Structures are given as C-alpha cells and as structure tokens.
C-alpha cells in the first residue's frame, strides 16, 4: 500500500530534501509552500501523514493544525520548527500535533518518526485508487482514464494535471497551485505552459460531450465539475 505524505514547508531546499528522501522510500509526496495551500490540500483527508512547518507565510502552522483538528481531520501531523524550547514543543503537542521535531534535523529521524505515526493508523485506512467526476473516471493504479466508458489517452503531465483537478473537483484551483503541485515550480516561469496543457486536456475530456467539465474561472484559476 502506497503511503501519501503532505509536506507543508516554505523553504524550498528543506522541502526538496524531505520530498526526495520520502520518495526514495516509496512514498508519494505532495508539497505546499504556504499554510493556506497546505490546509487546502490537507482537508481532503487522503494523506497518511503531514509534515508541517510551524512558521509559514499566509497562515502559520499552528493555525493550519487548529483548522484541521477543528474539522475532525485526524491525519497524523509532525511539526517541524526551529523553535525548540520545552514550552514551544508542549504548545505544538497541545495544539493537536502527534510529534514535534526541531530543526536542524536528520532525515533518518524524520523518517522513523513518520513511520511510527503512520503505523498507529491515525490516517484513513484505505488508499484511494479511483477518482471520479460526473462520468469521468480515473484509475490511479492502471493510470487509465475514461469518460462515459470511452478511454482517453493522456500524456504523463496531463494525467498529473487531471489527477490534481479531480482530487479538488468543484473547487477553484489556482495557477500557483498547479505550478507547485503539477510542475514542481515554486516560482512563475512566465510562460503559458498551464494554458497549453489545460487546452489540450479540455479537448481530450470535453470534445464530443454536451456537458463540459473543465472550466476556466476568470481571474482565479480552473475548476473541474459540472457547469456552475
């Protein structure tokens, strides 16, 4: 069973270091560079564990943690922080984290702590293998996509883009979120790469169907779902 981990960390070098190590140990890793996006991803409940930096832009780690626990999301959370006093560690644990690791840290210790948290079974017991939106279906194991029973041939990046949109069906997904989670960019490359891929994906999933599923939300991003 593949384990999914969300890393919410604004320092790109640290996030890349963690993601690389976890991926090498067979885990699927998603990243968020600020608290707002981290909370957005974490609320779908599909992760086996969350690595959460305490000091984050837009929404700090303690606020993210509080929002998750208030929403009854029990995914194990390991806080990463440069604040290492006993009082700070107690505050993090009291707020609802399952563990607290002080920076700088050794990856081996981070991995061991995550594995212990995931063995406790605090996250969802089943890993999602199929996604659907209306008559659009995605099999994450076979990596096959169908609409109304008809196969759709997608390139790897198109598949990843559609997977992200399907995981957040009926929600507006911003360009920044797509750059970070589909292209692993943490800056705007100043190209139309998203527009090109969205256009290709729209043709593949919507052409020939009366009901359009992939919508552009002007000034905000994109939404997968029935017409508003």
């Amino acid at each position: 069973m593949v384990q999914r981990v969300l890393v919410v960390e604004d320092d790109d070098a640290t996030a890349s270091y963690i993601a690389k190590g976890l991926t090498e140990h067979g885990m699927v890793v998603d990243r968020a560079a600020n608290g707002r996006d981290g909370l957005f991803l974490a609320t779908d409940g599909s992760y086996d564990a969350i690595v959460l930096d305490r000091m984050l832009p837009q929404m700090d780690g303690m606020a993210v943690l509080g929002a998750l626990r208030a929403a009854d999301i029990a995914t194990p959370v390991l806080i990463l922080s440069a604040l290492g006093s006993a009082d700070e560690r107690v505050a993090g644990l009291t707020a609802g984290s399952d563990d607290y690791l002080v920076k700088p840290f050794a990856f081996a210790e981070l991995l061991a702590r995550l594995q212990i948290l995931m063995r406790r079974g605090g996250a969802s017991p089943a890993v999602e293998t199929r996604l659907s939106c209306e008559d659009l279906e995605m099999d994450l194991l076979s990596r096959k996509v169908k609409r109304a029973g008809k196969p759709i041939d997608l390139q790897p990046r198109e598949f990843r883009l559609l997977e992200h949109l399907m995981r957040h069906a009926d929600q507006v997904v911003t360009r920044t979120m797509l750059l970070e989670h589909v292209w692993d960019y943490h800056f705007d490359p100043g190209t139309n790469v998203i527009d090109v891929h969205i256009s290709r994906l729209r043709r593949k999933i919507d052409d020939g169907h009366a009901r359009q599923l992939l919508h552009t939300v002007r000034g905000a991003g994109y939404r997968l779902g029935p017409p508003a």
Side-chain angles (χ1 to χ4, degrees), residues 191-227:
T191 70
N192 65 344
V193 61
I194 292 179
D195 302 298
V196 170
H197 280 78
I198 285 287
S199 178
R200 290 175 181 168
L201 184 60
R202 181 180 282 121
R203 286 197 300 269
K204 290 185 177 184
I205 68 172
D206 279 342
D207 279 5
H209 297 274
R211 193 173 174 87
Q212 304 297 290
L213 293 181
L214 183 50
H215 311 280
T216 298
V217 181
R218 189 176 298 275
Y222 305 94
R223 181 179 62 84
L224 188 75

Side-chain angles (χ1 to χ4, degrees), residues 13 17 116 164 201:
Y17 171 66
I116 290 170
H164 191 77
L201 184 60

Side-chain angles (χ1 to χ4, degrees), residues 2-4 28 30 44 46-48 126-133 136-146 154 156 158-168:
V2 178
Q3 293 170 316
R4 297 179 60 88
V28 174
D30 286 335
D44 72 5
S46 68
Y47 296 100
D48 296 287
V127 174
E128 202 168 18
T129 61
R130 292 179 181 272
L131 301 173
S132 64
C133 178
L136 182 65
E137 301 174 45
M138 171 179 283
D139 188 316
L140 297 172
L141 297 181
S142 67
R143 299 187 69 78
K144 293 181 179 178
V145 176
K146 296 180 180 180
L154 297 180
E158 293 168 343
F159 185 94
R160 191 172 177 185
L161 173 59
L162 181 59
E163 178 186 355
H164 191 77
L165 290 167
M166 292 186 75
R167 288 189 181 280
H168 303 288

Side-chain angles (χ1 to χ4, degrees), residues 76-89:
V77 173
L78 180 137
I79 286 182
L80 276 182
S81 179
L83 304 174
S85 71
D87 287 345
E88 296 292 353
R89 295 197 302 272

Side-chain angles (χ1 to χ4, degrees), residues 12 31-33 37 157 160-161 164 173-195 197-198 222:
D12 184 61
R31 292 169 50 178
D37 288 351
R157 188 74 68 180
R160 191 172 177 185
L161 173 59
H164 191 77
V173 178
T174 68
R175 295 173 65 88
T176 297
M177 292 167 65
L178 292 177
L179 285 172
E180 290 185 351
H181 303 297
V182 179
W183 278 268
D184 295 322
Y185 290 162
H186 294 276
F187 60 93
D188 188 342
T191 70
N192 65 344
V193 61
I194 292 179
D195 302 298
H197 280 78
I198 285 287
Y222 305 94

